Structure formats: structure tokens, C-alpha cells
Amino acid sequence: MSISDLFDSGFQKRNQDHFAAIVKVAMTDGVITDEEKAFLDRLARRLDISDNDYKEILKDYNTHPINPPTSYDKRLERLFDLAKMIYADHVKGEGQVVLLEKLSIGLGFRSENAKYVVDKALILVNQGVDGDTFADEIKNMNR
């Protein structure tokens, strides 16, 4: 196995785990709506998730760990994806918010800040901001 193959497989595994975390958020109400499915389809393409891996993750999303990115910008990108999933069906359930707080801690946000970061993230997504604005606002939320 070459170094590039090893890197590619590790990168793909992280993408699969991230995708599984988003499926977990989508499944908190027990159903994946058409809008959630459309979001998952777009995200799967962006993360280069194969059709076979997509189906396997949908069946067994709970077995994937949360692999936090080492880059703060990548953490924000993943938080943005997760927060968008909560609003995909236009219903922000308490269970989804609690799960997002747990996932944000798993992504590397400090536990004492998770509630504040998630609250701000959900406000921003509800306002329809883009990814760059989202990242800037989260980075500077204490100003």
C-alpha cells in the first residue's frame, strides 16, 4: 500500500464518519424527510461517499465514531453541516439540539462552550447565512 493510498483511505474514513454523524442528527426524529434526503445526497457527493457506502451508513450510522478535524476551520465546516441538517425539516427538536451539543463536543468544541456555540450556530443557519459568514460569526461570537 502506498502512502497516498493510506492517506486517501484515512481521509475517506473521516468523511464517512462525518456523514454518519449528520445521518444521526437526521434520524433523531426517526424519519429522513425528502428535504433531509436531498441534503444528504448533496453532502454525500461533496464528501465523495459512494452509493454503497451511503446505503451502509444509513443502515448502521451509530457504529461510526466522531473523528474531530484537527483544523478549527474544518470543525466549523462540520458544525455548519450539522446545524443545517437540524433545519432541513424546518423543525428544531430538543433532542436534535442536545445531540448537536454532544456532537459539537465530539468535534472538539469545549464542553462548557458547546451550548453557546450550538445556539449561535442554529441562529445563523436559521438566518440563512453562507459557510464563510457562519465561520466568521462563530469565530467572533464573543466580541
Side-chain angles (χ1 to χ4, degrees):
M1 176 182 282
S2 73
I3 296 288
S4 64
D5 289 339
L6 185 60
F7 175 76
D8 288 344
S9 66
F11 182 74
Q12 186 62 28
K13 175 73 172 119
R14 283 190 301 275
N15 282 349
Q16 290 172 358
D17 292 342
H18 175 53
F19 185 73
I22 292 173
V23 170
K24 194 177 295 188
V25 171
M27 289 299 294
T28 56
D29 60 0
V31 175
I32 293 180
T33 65
D34 290 341
E35 194 169 350
E36 289 171 333
K37 174 87 167 78
F39 178 80
L40 288 172
D41 291 347
R42 285 190 309 272
L43 186 63
R45 280 190 302 276
R46 192 176 97 204
L47 295 175
D48 198 28
I49 305 292
S50 71
D51 289 339
N52 188 46
D53 288 339
Y54 186 110
K55 291 173 187 168
E56 288 298 315
I57 290 168
L58 284 179
K59 283 193 298 190
D60 204 15
Y61 55 88
N62 282 318
T63 63
H64 290 264
I66 299 172
N67 289 319
T70 55
S71 157
Y72 186 64
D73 288 331
K74 288 290 183 189
R75 286 185 200 154
L76 291 174
E77 184 179 307
R78 290 192 177 183
L79 179 63
F80 183 58
D81 289 341
L82 290 164
K84 284 193 314 188
M85 179 51 70
I86 285 183
Y87 277 105
D89 60 3
H90 305 290
V91 177
K92 181 179 77 169
E94 184 59 33
Q96 290 177 315
V97 174
V98 169
L99 179 58
L100 184 56
E101 288 174 10
K102 290 178 182 179
L103 290 170
S104 70
I105 294 167
L107 286 173
F109 292 94
R110 295 172 47 147
S111 59
E112 58 269 14
N113 295 337
K115 180 180 179 355
Y116 305 110
V117 170
V118 166
D119 288 345
K120 180 70 171 184
L122 293 173
I123 288 168
L124 292 168
V125 168
N126 190 45
Q127 293 172 347
V129 302
D130 63 15
D132 292 335
T133 303
F134 178 89
D136 185 56
E137 289 289 324
I138 295 292
K139 286 177 183 177
N140 297 299
M141 64 186 271
N142 290 327
R143 55 182 156 151

